[in-house]
Amino acid sequence: MHQFGVFQDPAVLASAESHNRLAIDASQLARFWHRCGMTSDFWARYGSLFVPTAPRSGFLSRESAFHVFSYLLNELFENCAKFSGGPVSAVGFDSWMFADQVVYQISNHIRPEGVQGFTELIQELLQGDLEELYFRKLEANAESGQGGSGLGYLTLMKDYGIKFGFGFEALGDESVRVDVQALVSKKG
């Protein structure tokens, strides 16, 4: 597997307070777009219940955590709906809850020809100046009217401090599994 960014070690994930898993079909997300938001809001609400009603000083409130989780998860589920391709339409979702952070992972499948463009975007996001890159991407999107620029990832990194890890594993000639891990700090 080729990895970029920040991935949590499986031994660390095994020590989570809670681990949850969901399997869904990417074609269902794409065909019934509102399922992305519904699924995101469900898991965001579920995850926010791990935030105390009276959080420690410097930590997110339960409602703030819900909004961060929901925005992040909606971006991840919508990306799966838009960019999944090839013979495998399975989407896997995992969440690991810790006292000071939440780790979300979403896995989907793309065609091999989509890997290069995605990895180039990822490297640009992970190595570039977030402020400068954000405004450059915003301007490019406005001019072209096209999506797929990474603006959602950029916003999450820049405004919410979310750290991402990306993994690619070829599963034959027609499918590559993409794992996206998002590390969300509960600190405000």
Side-chain angles (χ1 to χ4, degrees):
M1 176 182 276
H2 298 324
Q3 292 182 343
F4 303 88
V6 179
F7 265 91
Q8 284 297 311
D9 182 291
V12 170
L13 294 174
S15 68
E17 294 174 28
S18 175
H19 175 214
N20 304 285
R21 177 170 284 162
L22 169 73
I24 195 166
D25 189 301
S27 64
Q28 293 294 310
L29 291 174
R31 212 166 94 207
F32 303 103
W33 195 252
H34 66 278
R35 288 183 182 174
C36 294
M38 289 173 51
T39 305
S40 301
D41 285 348
F42 172 82
W43 286 108
R45 186 63 64 199
Y46 183 87
S48 70
L49 293 176
F50 286 86
V51 175
T53 53
R56 294 179 286 170
S57 177
F59 280 73
L60 294 173
S61 69
R62 183 174 283 179
E63 197 59 28
S64 294
F66 167 75
H67 291 296
V68 172
F69 298 164
S70 180
Y71 180 57
L72 165 67
L73 294 174
N74 196 59
E75 182 70 23
L76 295 177
F77 280 110
E78 284 184 358
N79 283 348
C80 285
K82 288 189 280 192
F83 300 114
S84 290
V88 181
S89 64
V91 171
F93 168 77
D94 289 272
S95 65
W96 294 271
M97 304 295 164
F98 296 90
D100 61 345
Q101 74 174 355
V102 176
V103 178
Y104 290 115
Q105 179 171 307
I106 198 156
S107 304
N108 70 314
H109 301 266
I110 63 173
R111 294 188 183 280
E113 56 269 17
V115 172
Q116 183 177 346
F118 193 21
T119 57
E120 288 171 0
L121 173 66
I122 289 166
Q123 290 173 328
E124 182 181 33
L125 296 174
L126 296 175
Q127 297 169 3
D129 175 87
L130 294 179
E131 289 291 331
E132 186 270 328
L133 194 53
Y134 177 80
F135 288 108
R136 198 174 78 221
K137 294 284 185 184
L138 195 59
E139 188 174 273
N141 271 10
E143 290 175 5
S144 71
Q146 295 179 352
S149 65
L151 198 53
Y153 287 124
L154 268 171
T155 302
L156 289 161
M157 294 166 70
K158 184 176 88 54
D159 294 347
Y160 300 101
I162 294 173
K163 293 179 172 66
F164 285 101
F166 301 87
F168 296 84
E169 184 175 0
L171 301 175
D173 293 339
E174 295 183 35
S175 184
V176 175
R177 189 182 79 224
V178 178
D179 297 324
V180 178
Q181 243 186 39
L183 286 69
V184 186
S185 176
K186 291 183 183 177
K187 294 181 181 177

